Amino acid sequence: MEHEAQARFLAVAQRSIRGRQAITDAGKQGVCLADGSEHRICRHGRKHGKPGCQRRTDATNETCTPSAPHHLPTFPIHGKGPSAVSMLTKLLFRRPKNAAPVGRAPEGRRLYAIGDIHGRLDLLEGLLSQIVRDDAERGGPVGELIFLGDLIDRGPDSAQVIDRLMALQAERPNVRFLLGNHEEVFLHALSGDAKALRLFNRIGGAETILSYGVSPQAYADADYEQLHRLLVEAVPASHREFLESFEDMIVAGDYVFVHAGIRPGIALADQRPADLRWIRDQFLNARMAPEKRVVHGHTISEEVVELPHRIGLDTGAYRTGILTAMAFEDEKRWVLQEHGSRVAVAA
C-alpha cells in the first residue's frame, strides 16, 4: 500500500514537472546515464543495452530479477544530469541508513509512562484510576509507572501532586520518577540560589509557592530574600528529599525515558543531565536515529507525537486539561488520556 501511494504521487509529480506519460507507461525505458545516453529496461528474454539498470538480466535464463526492493518501476527521463523526478524517486524509495529502533518493551513487563503533570492533581487522579483499570483488565505482569518529570509549577496543586505521588510510591514500589527542569529549578531555589529563585518565579513557581499555603498577600509583599525564607519554611523536608531522589534517565528494552530529550550523536552513557532536562530543538529536529527510541515530555504538543526517533507525551495538562500516558508491552503501545477542564494558569 505504501509503494502504491508513492507511485500515485510520483505520477502526479511527473506530469506536473515534465508533462510526460503516466507512471504506468514508465517501465518501458530506463533512466538516462550521466552521459545522456538511453537504454531499455530488460524484459523477459531481452538483454540490456547498458549496464547499471535498476533491473538486470539473469545471465542464465535472461529473466528479469530485481536489484532494488520490490522491483520498483523506473521512469522515462531524458536529458543530461539528474532531473527533478529522478531525485524525487530516490528520495521516496530510498531505504534509510540509520533506521530507528522498532521499539519493544522488556520481556514480561508492562510500562506506563506519564507526561508532564504541572500541578494538575485532578487530572493525575483520573489518569491513575484509568491506569489501574487498564492494568487489571489486561492481566499478566503488574504495570510499572514512569513519570517523565515536571510534576510541579503552573497548575494549582503542586504540593498536593507531590503528596499523592509519595503515597503512590509507598503503595507501589515499581513507580519511578525522572527529574524535570522545573523540579531542578525548584531544588536550586530551595538551596538559596537567587538566580534559580527568580527563574522559578517566572516559570510558574508562584503557583507552587501558593500551593504550599503561602498567602497571596505574603507572596506579593515579599522580596526575593523574604520569598526564599517563605519557601524554605513552607516546603516539608520530605518533599525535598523525594524530589532529590529522582532519576535522570531510565532505559527499558528498546526505549529510553528522559524528561526533555537527548543530545544527538552522543552515547546514552555520556549524556549530560542538563540536556536530558532542558534540550529542545536540537533533539526535536534531529535526523540521526538514536541508540534507542526516546520517550519524553517537556515540549507541548496538541497530540501524542510518534516519530521514528522519539515519542512525545506532554499534551500541556496545565493549560489544555489533557494529561497523557502511554503503555508499552512487547511491541505494543497504547495511549490513555484524562480530559478535564482548562484552568487559568501562568504561561
Side-chain angles (χ1 to χ4, degrees), residues 29-68:
Q29 285 183 289
V31 179
C32 291
L33 302 178
D35 60 3
S37 61
E38 299 176 21
H39 60 278
R40 288 179 295 184
I41 297 174
C42 65
R43 300 182 188 178
H44 295 292
R46 175 175 259 171
K47 295 184 178 180
H48 297 284
K50 290 276 188 177
C53 291
Q54 289 190 11
R55 300 179 186 177
R56 59 184 173 81
T57 305
D58 185 274
T60 302
N61 55 24
E62 296 187 348
T63 57
C64 181
T65 57
S67 63

Side-chain angles (χ1 to χ4, degrees), residues 117-125 128 147 150-153 155-168 177 183 211-212 239 242:
I117 300 167
H118 278 304
R120 290 298 302 265
L121 179 65
D122 55 335
L123 300 179
L124 173 61
E125 292 286 14
L128 288 176
F147 288 84
D150 282 4
L151 312 181
I152 64 169
D153 293 351
D157 300 313
S158 291
Q160 294 73 27
V161 165
I162 293 177
D163 277 330
R164 178 67 180 91
L165 293 178
M166 289 175 64
L168 179 68
F177 300 90
E183 285 84 36
S211 75
Y212 278 101
H239 281 206
F242 175 62

Side-chain angles (χ1 to χ4, degrees), residues 113-116 148 295-297 304-305 311-315 324-326 328:
I114 297 93
D116 303 34
L148 299 179
V295 183
H296 67 96
V304 173
V305 175
I311 298 174
L313 298 181
D314 184 0
T315 47
T324 297
M326 179 175 279
F328 304 80

